[in-house]
């Protein structure tokens, strides 16, 4: 099948790959860029394990073709910690609040929550639950995931107390 040259950045680093147009962004990131932090669960848009940020929007990397990311700025879980390995506020909150069990869903939750935390307005409990409900944790560790994102939001000044709280 015809291959196509594609360039994009991942976590600020330029990448040039030659891929078949049928291949998903998730597969391109994992197999061509060697970034296996992006996980694949359902591979059809349901679980959110593959969530990455493309041009400041969270996307399911199993539903996007690699060629569609041409020219884009992609962010993956590998880009969250500092270059010396120091975890960021959200990652530390996941650790402190036991926001993972097997860890398989964690990269997707971290990227989705990163998008939530980086928006220019605070969010409350209801909005957090609404946004994070798009991702599945098969260990059912939801309460601790919510606690972690809530704690990170408070630390980063992004938490809004609910009117009905
Ligand atoms: Fe992409 Fe499940 S692997 S949504
Ligand atoms: Fe196991 Fe989420 S921690 S699937």
């Amino acid at each position: 099948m015809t291959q196509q040259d594609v360039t994009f950045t991942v976590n600020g680093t330029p990448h040039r790959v030659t891929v078949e147009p049928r291949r998903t962004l998730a597969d391109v990131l994992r197999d061509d860029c060697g970034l296996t932090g992006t996980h694949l669960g359902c591979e059809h848009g349901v679980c959110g394990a593959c969530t990455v940020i493309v041009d400041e929007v969270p996307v399911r990397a199993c539903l996007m073709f690699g060629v569609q990311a041409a020219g884009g700025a992609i962010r993956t879980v590998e880009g969250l910690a500092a270059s010396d390995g120091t975890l960021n506020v959200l990652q530390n909150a996941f650790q402190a609040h036991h926001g993972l069990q097997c860890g398989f869903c964690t990269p997707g939750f971290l990227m989705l929550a990163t998008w939530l935390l980086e928006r220019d307005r605070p969010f409350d409990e209801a909005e957090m639950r609404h946004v994070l409900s798009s991702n599945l944790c098969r260990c059912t560790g939801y309460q601790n995931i919510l606690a972690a994102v809530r704690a990170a939001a408070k630390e980063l000044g992004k938490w809004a107390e609910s009117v009905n709280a």
Side-chain angles (χ1 to χ4, degrees):
M1 183 177 283
T2 312
Q3 306 234 353
Q4 203 167 316
D5 290 337
V6 180
T7 57
F8 46 67
T9 64
V10 185
N11 304 320
T13 301
H15 285 260
R16 181 187 182 89
V17 294
T18 304
V19 297
E20 292 176 11
R22 68 178 178 83
R23 295 185 61 227
T24 67
L25 177 59
D27 284 340
V28 171
L29 287 169
R30 291 177 56 85
D31 299 337
D32 297 82
C33 301
L35 296 167
T36 54
T38 298
H39 290 170
L40 280 164
C42 66
E43 295 192 70
H44 60 269
V46 175
C47 73
C50 63
T51 303
V52 299
I53 298 174
V54 179
D55 294 332
E56 301 181 14
V57 177
V59 304
R60 285 172 161 23
C62 72
L63 292 186
M64 185 171 178
F65 293 117
V67 293
Q68 290 177 292
I74 304 165
R75 292 169 65 196
T76 67
V77 70
E78 286 92 346
L80 294 184
S83 54
D84 67 356
T86 303
L87 301 183
N88 72 11
V89 169
L90 179 62
Q91 292 171 304
N92 275 325
F94 264 69
Q95 188 174 60
H97 293 272
H98 308 290
L100 59 145
Q101 293 181 55
C102 76
F104 199 85
C105 66
T106 310
F109 271 108
L110 286 171
M111 298 317 292
L112 185 60
T114 293
W115 171 78
L116 192 55
L117 289 164
E118 289 182 353
R119 292 186 315 171
D120 58 2
R121 60 187 172 82
F123 55 89
D124 64 7
E125 184 75 27
E127 186 171 15
M128 173 181 69
R129 285 172 181 258
H130 176 70
V131 170
L132 296 184
S133 69
S134 74
N135 284 29
L136 302 180
C137 170
R138 283 162 286 187
C139 305
T140 67
Y142 295 109
Q143 294 305 326
N144 291 351
I145 293 168
L146 292 170
V149 177
R150 196 181 295 121
K154 287 179 180 176
E155 188 169 340
L156 294 167
K158 288 293 176 70
W159 187 248
E161 291 300 337
S162 304
V163 176
N164 298 322

